[in-house]
Amino acid sequence: MTTIISPASILGSQSPRLKSLPPLGLYIHIPWCMKKCPYCDFNSHEVRGGEGNVPEAEYVAALIRDLEAALPQVWGRRVTSVFFGGGTPSLFSARSIDAILAAVRALLPLEHFAEITLEANPGTFEVKKFADFRAAGINRLSIGIQSFNPGHLQSLGRIHDDRETHRAIEIAQKNFDNVNLDLMYALPDQTLEQARNDIETAAAYGVSHISAYHLTLEPNTLFHRYPPPLPDDDLSAEMQIMIEETLAQGGYINYETSAFALHGRESRHNMNYWTFGDYLGIGAGAHSKISFADKIVRQIRYKQPREYLAKTAPDVAASGAPMMEQHEVGRNDRSFEFMMNALRLTRGFTTEMFTERTGLPITGIRRQLDEAERRQLIVHDYRHIAPTLTGKRFLNDLLQIFLPEKSDM
């Protein structure tokens, strides 16, 4: 029996093509921290024997070789933002950060006035060091405050106290006009008034950006193995509403589930992430999403610093980027991955952006959109899609509607 394959079926099996490539960000991972926090599931590694035991110069050289090896994947594309994450990137000297940024500028076309963010923890702040970070080209600082309450800082395993927290913010504001404060709520034994005090204290500083994350018990963390007493769902929801109302009164716009910014001060790097933009990640355990005309790929670098350094050694670096894992994002997964990010945006997104970033027509998820609207989780028309207040509150329920029904063939 002869099987006849129609042209339509052949076309349907082809990978969707992108008419244009999205913006490109650069993520640089510094994996070391002074102490591993019990809630942290990031690829971070506690410094053994003091800060001087970090192989800083060797790691900087490895990052540069990693970037050089990755260039063919992003050749000619402009970089719109740079983000140093960790770990605690502020453990590194300003000289090292300067050397990394010098290599970035030499190897990639960096957009004029690109946003360049460095994550820092209060226990690493020194006046001269942060002035030098600014001189090296860092123009946005993200400080891991988590709480202003000394008891909660202790329960979270932070190495700084409340006095160091206030001092760090003051130093930051003397050197940077774009500062983010990371806070957490629904902490062990936290009351609504304690959460309110944290958020009001942060807002009083008038920084350009505040992130407020719900503490979750992630697998492979100490808190997951030994759960502390956390606020129940009702109290956590009260805290979230209080945070949104308090920051709105302070002039902050809740533009993403956990992100609040003064007008025009949204994080450009994170906005690119949430709108399914591209990012090249270098460093131990860094993730990348790179689009090509005919495919979208995700990559993960080797996670353990020693293994990463071995894979980027001069004698092996010529064999390519130190990739632990790489896979292509299939047709069925593109829609879900886009929605998983973009539905976190309070204002939602345009249907045109969905098509531009996925290469797929919005009609491919019409049934899911109608179901989400029927359940009052989104509002949508032919031009725009946005979560409702209910959709924001029950984001996981909303996202489940868009889960792929079956894997790509």
Side-chain angles (χ1 to χ4, degrees):
M1 180 177 176
T2 303
T3 302
I4 299 174
I5 302 175
S6 69
S9 67
I10 295 173
L11 183 63
S13 66
Q14 292 176 344
S15 185
R17 295 183 66 85
L18 301 180
K19 292 183 178 179
S20 61
L21 300 181
L24 175 68
L26 175 64
Y27 176 79
I28 302 169
H29 192 72
I30 311 292
W32 290 281
C33 56
M34 292 304 296
K35 182 183 177 184
K36 182 77 171 180
C37 296
Y39 58 84
C40 178
D41 70 333
F42 294 128
N43 184 41
S44 58
H45 302 266
E46 191 170 313
V47 176
R48 303 294 182 184
E51 192 173 336
N53 283 348
V54 174
E56 186 169 328
E58 185 183 358
Y59 191 77
V60 170
L63 286 172
I64 295 171
R65 287 192 294 269
D66 188 355
L67 181 59
E68 290 171 339
L71 286 180
Q73 300 175 83
V74 295
W75 197 257
R77 297 179 62 180
R78 298 184 69 82
V79 173
T80 60
S81 62
V82 180
F83 195 103
F84 287 86
T88 307
S90 54
L91 284 178
F92 273 27
S93 67
R95 179 181 297 179
S96 289
I97 300 299
D98 188 30
I100 296 167
L101 286 175
V104 170
R105 296 186 190 99
L107 295 169
L108 291 168
L110 188 61
E111 196 172 85
H112 199 45
F113 297 121
E115 177 189 89
I116 304 178
T117 303
L118 179 84
E119 287 186 334
N121 284 332
T124 65
F125 269 74
E126 302 165 19
V127 176
K128 178 67 167 62
K129 187 176 186 179
F130 280 82
D132 289 344
F133 281 147
R134 185 71 181 88
I138 301 297
N139 54 32
R140 182 175 183 270
L141 204 63
S142 181
I143 311 175
I145 299 296
Q146 314 315 349
S147 176
F148 292 93
N149 183 299
H152 291 143
L153 288 173
Q154 188 172 12
S155 69
L156 291 173
R158 306 297 286 172
I159 63 170
H160 61 274
D161 58 26
D162 54 318
R163 290 172 297 177
E164 288 176 301
T165 296
H166 290 286
R167 180 174 176 272
I169 299 173
E170 291 164 4
I171 293 172
Q173 289 185 305
K174 287 179 182 177
N175 293 284
F176 299 88
D177 64 358
N178 195 355
V179 175
N180 168 63
L181 303 182
D182 273 348
L183 287 104
M184 300 177 76
Y185 67 96
L187 306 178
D189 293 318
Q190 188 178 40
T191 66
L192 180 62
E193 284 310 305
Q194 288 172 331
R196 187 190 308 278
N197 183 68
D198 272 352
I199 212 70
E200 287 179 346
T201 303
Y205 275 104
V207 293
S208 57
H209 196 284
I210 294 173
S211 300
Y213 300 104
H214 186 295
L215 174 63
T216 54
L217 304 184
E218 301 289 354
N220 302 317
T221 65
L222 190 64
F223 271 5
H224 191 266
R225 290 196 297 273
Y226 306 102
L230 300 178
D232 61 26
D233 290 344
D234 289 341
L235 179 52
S236 296
E238 282 187 68
M239 291 179 179
Q240 182 181 351
I241 293 168
M242 176 275 297
I243 289 168
E244 292 170 359
E245 292 175 347
T246 301
L247 290 178
Q249 292 167 7
Y252 290 88
I253 300 165
N254 182 200
Y255 69 99
E256 185 269 344
T257 301
S258 304
F260 304 79
L262 298 178
H263 180 70
R265 306 311 290 271
E266 297 88 349
S267 166
R268 280 184 266 164
H269 187 87
N270 288 341
M271 276 297 295
N272 184 49
Y273 180 86
W274 290 318
T275 53
F276 210 49
D278 280 356
Y279 44 93
L280 171 63
I282 61 172
H287 289 235
S288 300
K289 171 190 168 278
I290 309 292
S291 297
F292 302 86
D294 60 344
K295 62 183 177 181
I296 299 173
V297 299
R298 289 195 178 276
Q299 305 167 340
I300 305 176
R301 269 35 178 189
Y302 286 94
K303 291 185 177 182
Q304 290 296 326
R306 285 184 181 178
E307 189 173 16
Y308 173 79
L309 289 170
K311 297 292 183 180
T312 50
D315 57 333
V316 297
S319 61
M323 223 78 70
M324 182 181 76
E325 182 183 320
Q326 177 171 290
H327 71 272
E328 187 172 333
V329 180
R331 174 190 290 267
N332 288 348
D333 290 325
R334 289 192 189 189
S335 295
F336 176 68
E337 290 194 11
F338 178 94
M339 302 302 275
M340 185 171 61
N341 290 294
L343 283 174
R344 294 180 64 89
L345 296 172
T346 304
R347 297 169 183 164
F349 56 92
T350 63
T351 55
E352 181 182 17
M353 175 173 283
F354 173 87
T355 300
E356 284 179 356
R357 301 291 163 88
T358 66
L360 301 168
I362 195 69
T363 52
I365 55 169
R366 181 64 60 195
R367 180 184 60 78
Q368 293 94 324
L369 291 171
D370 290 344
E371 170 67 11
E373 187 167 49
R374 185 187 67 77
R375 292 167 57 179
Q376 300 183 343
L377 298 174
I378 65 165
V379 289
H380 82 96
D381 55 31
Y382 71 96
R383 290 182 299 181
H384 193 262
I385 299 163
T388 61
L389 182 59
T390 303
K392 284 177 58 183
R393 294 282 184 264
F394 298 95
L395 183 59
N396 287 338
D397 292 335
L398 172 55
L399 293 177
Q400 283 181 357
I401 296 173
F402 296 93
L403 278 170
E405 293 179 357
K406 59 181 180 179
S407 301
D408 291 2
M409 298 299 290

